[in-house]
Amino acid sequence: MIKVNSSITIKADIQKIWHFLEDFSLGLSCNRFHSNINIEKSYSIDCDQNVVIKHNFGFGDIDMKLNIEESIPPNKLVINEQKINQELNGFNHTSTFEIIKNSNFCDLHYTVIGTFGNKVADLSFSPILKAVTIEELSKIKKLIESSEDNINTFKNKQYNPI
């Protein structure tokens, strides 16, 4: 089992960060392992729709189903991603985003807990995952801070993965 924690300070309102995270087509596209996000344009985190993310952990593309485990707007979002085909070598994991408001900025804490189901694979993947989470938070920070100054910036927009 791997557990990786990372955090970053973002100069933005808590609501703006929350709306960025809940727009899965944008927020999830910052992760380099996500090669494709299959999501309906009308998707909302509080409705029951299927979201399939095509991951590439270096073994080829693996379809994984995303489920919302917990949503506490505008502070916490917990998502779980499980491989659809259990015979493939994928990384089943849970990602937790927590937004902590400070005076003129917010801290975004990001935790990933998961496993390949193989101790050797988990050990070798841990430093890679740590680097990817730091990169992902940097992209999220840059996108949020460089966007317009209102929370409507991320509402009702759909983007393709980077």
Side-chain angles (χ1 to χ4, degrees), residues 58-69:
F59 311 114
D61 289 336
I62 297 170
D63 289 337
M64 299 185 75
K65 185 176 181 194
L66 179 137
N67 291 307
I68 306 297
E69 283 192 5

Side-chain angles (χ1 to χ4, degrees), residues 41-52:
K41 281 200 176 277
S42 62
Y43 182 79
S44 172
I45 63 172
D46 55 354
C47 66
D48 189 26
Q49 295 178 7
N50 284 332
V51 176
V52 176

